[in-house]
């Protein structure tokens, strides 16, 4: 299947508040809502919803839920978005993953605490990987693969996945967002196996500090340096998101030189309601468009509009737009 997402599914318990309390302080918030989330689930929904109609049914999710009502809702949301859930397992001994989220109403910025629950049991074995990615006939050597596996750090062993896929199915593009950031997972060997690296400015500098021993003020330059570190075959692309400013990218597949980064500005939004899931929408947006043959510049522009729609309403999964909604917004 062209897009496989491996990762977390969380039930998001979201409190909307004027301010976040200090340690020891009790503060009266304004409202509370349940939403669906988890970086893995958000990325799977984004990848699927952001595909044109004729490509629906080409995204699948690998993950775990608990044997509880949260788990059923999370799985159903994927089914409703036409994501294949054959490899979403229900773990009897665990509850579904949960995220406790505080959203500051003035800015829409969030603070997130996650409890892994069933996500913590997602530790695929060699046998599992063979099942997920059965060997298929090799594509003609000139034909570049547009198959992707999307990964983040919300399950226990993403580095094992990266290593297995790159060793055994090298033509699949590994798309990785090192979030939530874990310094112990950053090493040059792993990064040399990644094909599409998407990270925010904080994560980019945290990686730089670990691998280059310094941080950068110029994200263009950092994107170029990171692009030299990742796998030089396949799609070989780095995107650094810069929040309300926009994003920069460098790609071997881009028409412009891979020695300079290109900048895509953000879309100005009158009122940012909730930024939760914006990064996941952007990630799914870039991969979905690349998987159907768009060039990187078009994919980043499309994903920028998609995530600008996500932040206009509450919740992560529920606010991820469709392909048609993004098209309409751009017209
Ligand atoms: O990226 C946003 C997501 O992070 C939320 O949906 C929450 O579940 C956490 O995983």
């Amino acid at each position: 299947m062209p897009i496989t997402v491996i990762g977390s599914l969380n039930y998001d318990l979201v409190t909307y508040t004027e301010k976040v309390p200090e340690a020891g302080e009790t503060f009266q918030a304004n409202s509370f809502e349940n939403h669906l989330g988890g970086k893995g689930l958000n990325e799977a929904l984004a990848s699927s919803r952001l595909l044109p109609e004729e490509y629906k049914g080409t995204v699948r999710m690998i993950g775990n839920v608990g044997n509880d009502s949260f788990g059923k809702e999370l799985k159903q949301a994927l089914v409703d978005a036409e994501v294949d859930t054959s490899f979403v397992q229900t773990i009897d001994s665990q509850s579904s993953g949960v995220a406790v989220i505080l959203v500051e109403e003035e800015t829409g910025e969030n603070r997130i605490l996650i409890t892994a629950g069933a996500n913590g049991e997602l530790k695929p074995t060699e046998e599992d990987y063979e099942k997920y990615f059965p060997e298929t006939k090799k594509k003609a050597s000139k034909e570049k693969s547009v198959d992707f596996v999307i990964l983040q750090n919300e399950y226990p062993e993403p580095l094992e996945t990266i290593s297995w896929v790159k060793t055994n199915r090298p033509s699949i593009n590994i798309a990785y967002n090192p979030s939530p950031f874990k310094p112990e997972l950053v090493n040059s060997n792993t990064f040399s196996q990644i094909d599409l690296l998407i990270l925010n400015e904080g994560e980019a500098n945290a990686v730089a500090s670990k691998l280059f021993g310094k941080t950068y003020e110029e994200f263009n330059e950092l994107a170029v340096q990171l692009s030299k570190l990742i796998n030089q075959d396949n799609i070989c692309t780095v995107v650094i998101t810069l929040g309300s400013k926009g994003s920069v990218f460098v790609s071997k597949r881009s028409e412009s030189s891979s020695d300079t980064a290109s900048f895509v500005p953000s879309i100005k939004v009158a009122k940012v309601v909730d930024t939760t899931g914006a990064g996941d929408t952007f990630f799914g947006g870039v991969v979905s468009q690349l998987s159907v043959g768009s060039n990187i510049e078009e994919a980043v522009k499309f994903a920028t509009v998609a995530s600008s729609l996500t932040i206009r309403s509450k919740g992560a999964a529920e606010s991820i737009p469709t392909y048609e909604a993004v098209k309409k917004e751009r017209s």
Side-chain angles (χ1 to χ4, degrees):
M1 189 148 315
I3 303 178
T4 303
V5 181
I6 307 185
S8 58
L9 301 93
N10 290 335
Y11 208 73
D12 290 354
L13 308 173
V14 194
T15 299
Y16 295 89
T17 177
E18 261 164 52
K19 72 161 199 156
V20 176
E22 305 290 332
E25 183 188 3
T26 302
F27 188 76
Q28 176 88 46
N30 288 333
S31 62
F32 169 82
E33 295 182 11
N34 294 336
H35 288 285
L36 305 181
K39 297 192 194 308
L41 175 127
N42 297 337
E43 288 153 5
L45 291 179
S47 305
S48 183
R49 286 194 194 141
L50 294 169
L51 282 172
E53 195 52 42
E54 63 271 31
Y55 293 96
K56 295 287 188 215
T58 57
V59 178
R60 63 183 176 158
M61 168 103 209
I62 296 171
N64 289 340
V65 291
N67 193 0
D68 45 33
S69 61
F70 289 173
K72 290 191 184 77
E73 258 189 77
L74 290 162
K75 210 167 161 180
Q76 189 58 45
L78 292 169
V79 172
D80 293 345
E82 298 179 63
V83 175
D84 181 343
T85 57
S86 320
F87 291 119
V88 176
Q89 273 195 305
T90 301
I91 307 293
D92 283 328
S93 58
Q94 290 284 353
S95 43
S96 294
V98 162
V100 172
I101 304 181
L102 296 182
V103 176
E104 271 183 291
E105 284 171 321
E106 202 183 318
T107 58
E109 294 295 341
N110 60 38
R111 284 171 178 73
I112 305 181
L113 261 179
I114 50 174
T115 306
N119 298 311
E121 302 287 312
L122 183 63
K123 294 178 184 165
T125 60
E126 181 78 26
E127 220 184 340
D128 292 328
Y129 284 121
E130 290 289 347
K131 246 191 305 165
Y132 302 156
F133 304 102
E135 212 151 6
T136 51
K137 275 201 195 133
K138 283 217 167 72
K139 298 197 178 209
S141 58
K142 286 243 163 88
E143 194 189 326
K144 288 278 179 199
S145 164
V146 284
D147 287 4
F148 286 88
V149 56
I150 292 185
L151 310 170
Q152 23 48 50
N153 290 340
E154 273 191 2
Y155 72 103
E157 296 167 343
L159 302 200
E160 274 72 358
T161 308
I162 292 170
S163 167
W164 191 92
V165 172
K166 202 39 66 190
T167 307
N168 298 284
R169 306 290 181 264
S171 68
I172 297 179
N173 286 288
I174 298 178
Y176 178 54
N177 170 220
S179 174
F181 189 73
K182 298 181 181 172
E184 67 277 17
L185 298 187
V186 178
N187 67 73
S188 45
N189 181 45
T190 296
F191 274 65
S192 73
Q193 298 177 315
I194 292 162
D195 300 296
L196 167 61
L197 180 64
I198 296 198
L199 63 195
N200 66 29
E201 41 196 329
E203 291 155 357
N205 258 329
V207 170
S209 143
K210 186 89 194 277
L211 296 183
F212 307 137
K214 59 174 185 172
T215 57
Y216 286 71
E217 275 175 25
E218 279 300 320
F219 288 97
N220 290 7
E221 196 191 335
L222 178 51
V224 172
Q225 293 311 320
L226 289 171
S227 75
K228 290 181 183 159
L229 205 72
I230 64 170
N231 184 26
Q232 299 300 300
D233 305 326
N234 293 349
I235 202 132
C236 191
T237 298
V238 173
V239 185
I240 303 179
T241 58
L242 309 171
S244 59
K245 294 187 276 298
S247 56
V248 291
F249 68 86
V250 178
S251 176
K252 270 213 160 165
R253 293 262 214 106
S254 149
E255 267 139 49
S256 35
S257 148
S258 56
D259 288 336
T260 50
S262 305
F263 172 70
V264 173
S266 67
I267 309 280
K268 299 292 164 231
V269 169
K271 171 76 187 128
V272 178
V273 174
D274 183 353
T275 55
T276 315
D280 307 329
T281 304
F282 185 88
F283 192 8
V286 169
V287 172
S288 64
Q289 301 315 295
L290 290 175
S291 82
V292 299
S294 297
N295 65 34
I296 179 67
E297 183 167 12
E298 167 56 17
V300 171
K301 285 182 174 164
F302 183 94
T304 301
V305 176
S307 53
S308 82
L309 289 170
T310 300
I311 61 178
R312 290 179 217 182
S313 54
K314 289 180 172 176
E318 296 88 340
S319 62
I320 298 168
T322 59
Y323 178 81
E324 291 70 28
V326 175
K327 279 286 219 206
K328 190 165 163 225
E329 182 69 16
R330 295 181 85 188
S331 63

